[in-house]
Amino acid sequence: MILGKVIGSVWSTKKDESLVGSKFLIVRQLDLEFKELGSFTIAVDSVGAGDGEIVLIATGSSARQTTITKNKPVDAVVMAIVDKLDIHKRPEAAGAKN
Amino acid sequence: MYVAKVIGNVWATKKYEALHGSKMLIIQPLNGNYEHVGEPIVAIDTAGAGAGEYVLYISASEAVIPLPVDFAPVDASIVGVIDSIYHD
């Protein structure tokens, strides 16, 4: 999933009829310091996300795996509203250097 | 299937109902030489990966397969914790 921020919404009366009732949010991708990256996408809302909220979006065919977007022409869905990010600052784990 | 490093986690109480109880980790995709590839993403963890560990993850709609539910909007999930990588 991609971290993003809801920066607006899109209204469209003339659209694929299966999309009637869907809310289209404009989501700008963010980096981990919440800095806005260049790209944005239009995602269907499935959790009631509001303007300015930090969210997660699922893209591709996974976006159709909700009751709201099933069998609809949707390739991005807002599926979580982020409360907090924990970025691990610990030193490099022993890890698997070969 | 891709390689990544666990660099954080996400707390999200309000999420798609089928995802309640699932662990969301922030992972940095890597290439075979542990170099960063692109921006970090968020993946659902079902393999019990911890902070700083190297993991295998899958993307696209197959990502929902490891989850206890079969219908959820997930496009990345961790399927394994890497012990070591060998390549010539």
Side-chain angles (χ1 to χ4, degrees):
Chain A
M1 281 65 71
I2 297 172
L3 187 69
K5 179 178 179 183
V6 177
I7 59 167
S9 38
V10 174
W11 304 96
S12 160
T13 34
K14 213 154 176 260
K15 55 181 177 268
D16 183 290
E17 66 281 350
S18 71
L19 293 176
V20 169
S22 298
K23 205 171 126 203
F24 301 122
L25 299 177
I26 307 174
V27 179
R28 166 89 70 186
Q29 186 172 356
L30 300 179
D31 69 13
L32 296 186
E33 279 84 38
F34 298 127
K35 190 165 60 43
E36 291 188 7
L37 299 175
S39 61
F40 72 89
T41 185
I42 310 297
V44 169
D45 179 29
S46 81
V47 283
D51 212 18
E53 291 201 286
I54 309 293
V55 294
L56 293 183
I57 59 171
T59 57
S61 49
S62 309
R64 284 188 286 108
Q65 294 179 166
T66 76
T67 46
I68 296 171
T69 55
K70 190 177 179 202
N71 300 328
K72 295 186 181 173
V74 171
D75 64 356
V77 66
V78 175
M79 36 63 80
I81 298 174
V82 173
D83 303 324
K84 192 166 81 93
L85 296 187
D86 266 347
I87 311 296
H88 305 143
K89 278 283 169 277
R90 263 160 296 171
E92 192 81 342
K97 288 256 181 310
N98 59 338
Chain B
M1 199 172 281
Y2 301 98
V3 173
K5 179 179 181 182
V6 177
I7 61 170
N9 44 302
V10 176
W11 306 99
T13 29
K14 213 159 167 232
K15 51 183 175 273
Y16 188 69
E17 66 276 8
L19 291 173
H20 281 294
S22 38
K23 210 172 119 195
M24 295 179 169
L25 296 183
I26 306 171
I27 60 174
Q28 170 59 62
L30 303 174
N31 62 21
N33 303 317
Y34 300 101
E35 291 148 354
H36 287 202
V37 173
E39 287 293 325
I41 61 170
V42 176
I44 301 288
D45 174 39
T46 56
E53 289 197 303
Y54 295 98
V55 293
L56 285 174
Y57 74 95
I58 53 174
S59 59
S61 49
E62 289 72 21
V64 74
I65 294 172
L67 273 68
V69 295
D70 50 19
F71 197 65
V74 172
D75 61 17
S77 61
I78 291 168
V79 292
V81 177
I82 295 175
D83 298 324
S84 65
I85 298 177
Y86 170 77
H87 67 83
D88 38 16

